[in-house]
């Protein structure tokens, strides 16, 4: 990795990337009490995917912006411009030793997390009949952001969660009456870890496929409908892995949506 790609600082104004000045990555974000313009927030949101996708072999530190942190940054910039062709790591080391900067922590030594708890919720409505196909409706409930207070999950995926809960409420009413009790099992699933490559869904599938006797999954899933980002416009978009066959539940759903919209 080039040094100039290894270090990017976030300012309150988020200016152009400054010269590379560090061999690790340091990000200072505005204090939570600062009220910043919407365009500044938008710039944070646009930069966030790049930060998340960038691979580094050095530590990444985030800290709230304050006068001391800005002072360290200014002094590091000055050292960078005065040391000419020195590498970013050499500049950082020189600045730290010359100015007596230290990084301390009061916490215990960090340990790799090999296993973690992911909370997922599921609800089921059993259809009228035997050996029925299952329709699965899924939405992830979590959101994520490099700067936690800039993590807006109203659309991704608060909108999907709201739709799933409303569908569960409506179908619960319909399944309460014999004449509206459909010949499908319905499985409503709220997954955690959606922003971490859908780890919650992956773990839930692994657990359920190991216990098929008590699962509605088994081998008869008609289709799975994932609800995500449904509140950003007046339009709904349905993405399918392949064109559904005519007469299939997927084809029926697609035609119904086309009729409505």
């Amino acid at each position: 990795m080039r040094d100039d790609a290894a270090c990017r600082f976030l300012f309150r104004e988020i200016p152009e990337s400054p010269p590379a000045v560090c061999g690790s990555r340091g990000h200072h974000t505005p204090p939570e009490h600062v009220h910043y313009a919407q365009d500044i927030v938008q710039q944070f949101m646009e930069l966030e995917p790049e930060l998340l996708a960038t691979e580094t072999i050095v530590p990444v530190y985030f800290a709230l912006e304050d006068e001391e942190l800005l002072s360290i940054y200014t002094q590091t910039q000055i050292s960078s411009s005065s040391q000419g062709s020195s590498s970013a790591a050499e500049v950082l080391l020189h600045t730290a030793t010359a100015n007596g900067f230290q990084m301390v922590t009061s916490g215990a030594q960090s340990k790799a997390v090999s296993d973690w708890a992911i909370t997922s919720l599921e609800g089921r409505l059993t259809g009228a009949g035997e050996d029925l196909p299952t329709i699965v409706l899924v939405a992830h409930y979590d959101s994520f952001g490099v700067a936690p207070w800039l993590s807006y999950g109203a659309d991704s995926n608060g909108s999907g969660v709201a739709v799933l809960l409303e569908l569960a409420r409506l179908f619960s009413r319909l399944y309460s009456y014999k004449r509206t009790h459909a010949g499908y099992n319905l499985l409503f699933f709220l997954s955690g870890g959606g922003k971490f490559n859908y780890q919650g869904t992956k773990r839930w599938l692994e657990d359920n496929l190991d216990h098929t006797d008590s699962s509605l999954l088994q081998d008869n899933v008609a289709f799975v409908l994932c609800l995500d980002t449904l509140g950003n416009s007046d339009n709904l978009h349905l993405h399918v892995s392949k064109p559904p066959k005519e007469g299939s539940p997927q084809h029926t759903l697609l035609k119904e949506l086309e009729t409505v919209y």
Side-chain angles (χ1 to χ4, degrees), residues 132-134 209 212 215-222:
L132 299 175
T134 297
L209 291 176
T212 54
S215 171
L216 289 179
L217 294 179
Q218 300 183 12
D219 299 321
N220 197 15
V221 175

Coordinates of all heavy atoms in Angstrom, one line a residue, residues 132-134 209 212 215-222:
L132 N -46.7 -28.1 3.7 CA -46.9 -26.9 2.9 C -45.6 -26.2 2.5 O -44.6 -26.3 3.3 CB -47.8 -25.9 3.6 CG -49.2 -26.4 3.9 CD1 -49.9 -25.3 4.8 CD2 -50.0 -26.6 2.7
P133 N -45.5 -25.5 1.4 CA -44.3 -24.7 1.1 C -44.2 -23.5 2.1 O -45.2 -23.1 2.7 CB -44.5 -24.3 -0.3 CG -46.0 -24.3 -0.5 CD -46.5 -25.4 0.4
T134 N -43.0 -23.0 2.3 CA -42.8 -21.9 3.2 C -42.3 -20.7 2.4 O -41.5 -20.8 1.5 CB -41.7 -22.3 4.2 OG1 -42.2 -23.4 5.0 CG2 -41.4 -21.1 5.1
L209 N -30.6 -25.5 9.6 CA -30.4 -26.6 8.7 C -29.9 -27.8 9.4 O -30.0 -28.9 8.9 CB -29.5 -26.2 7.6 CG -30.0 -25.2 6.6 CD1 -29.0 -24.8 5.5 CD2 -31.3 -25.7 5.9
T212 N -33.6 -29.8 11.1 CA -34.7 -29.6 10.1 C -36.0 -30.2 10.6 O -37.0 -29.8 10.1 CB -34.3 -30.4 8.8 OG1 -34.0 -31.7 9.1 CG2 -33.2 -29.7 8.1
S215 N -37.8 -27.2 11.9 CA -37.6 -26.0 11.1 C -38.7 -26.0 10.0 O -39.1 -27.0 9.5 CB -36.2 -25.9 10.5 OG -36.2 -24.9 9.6
L216 N -39.1 -24.8 9.7 CA -40.0 -24.6 8.5 C -39.3 -24.6 7.2 O -39.9 -24.6 6.1 CB -40.8 -23.3 8.6 CG -41.9 -23.3 9.7 CD1 -42.6 -21.9 9.8 CD2 -43.0 -24.4 9.5
L217 N -38.0 -24.6 7.3 CA -37.2 -24.6 6.1 C -37.2 -25.9 5.3 O -37.8 -26.0 4.2 CB -35.7 -24.2 6.4 CG -35.5 -22.8 7.0 CD1 -34.1 -22.5 7.2 CD2 -36.1 -21.7 6.0
Q218 N -36.6 -26.9 5.9 CA -36.6 -28.2 5.3 C -36.2 -28.1 3.8 O -35.3 -27.4 3.4 CB -37.9 -28.9 5.5 CG -38.2 -29.1 7.0 CD -39.4 -29.9 7.3 OE1 -40.0 -30.5 6.4 NE2 -39.9 -29.9 8.5
D219 N -37.0 -28.8 2.9 CA -36.6 -28.7 1.5 C -37.7 -28.0 0.7 O -37.7 -28.1 -0.5 CB -36.4 -30.1 1.0 CG -35.3 -30.9 1.6 OD1 -34.3 -30.2 1.9 OD2 -35.4 -32.1 1.9
N220 N -38.6 -27.3 1.3 CA -39.8 -26.8 0.6 C -40.0 -25.3 0.8 O -41.1 -24.9 1.3 CB -41.1 -27.6 1.1 CG -42.2 -27.4 0.1 OD1 -42.0 -27.0 -1.0 ND2 -43.4 -27.8 0.5
V221 N -39.0 -24.6 0.5 CA -39.1 -23.1 0.6 C -39.5 -22.6 -0.8 O -38.8 -22.8 -1.8 CB -37.8 -22.5 1.0 CG1 -37.9 -21.0 1.0 CG2 -37.4 -22.9 2.4
A222 N -40.7 -22.0 -0.9 CA -41.2 -21.5 -2.1 C -40.3 -20.3 -2.6 O -39.8 -20.3 -3.8 CB -42.6 -21.0 -2.0

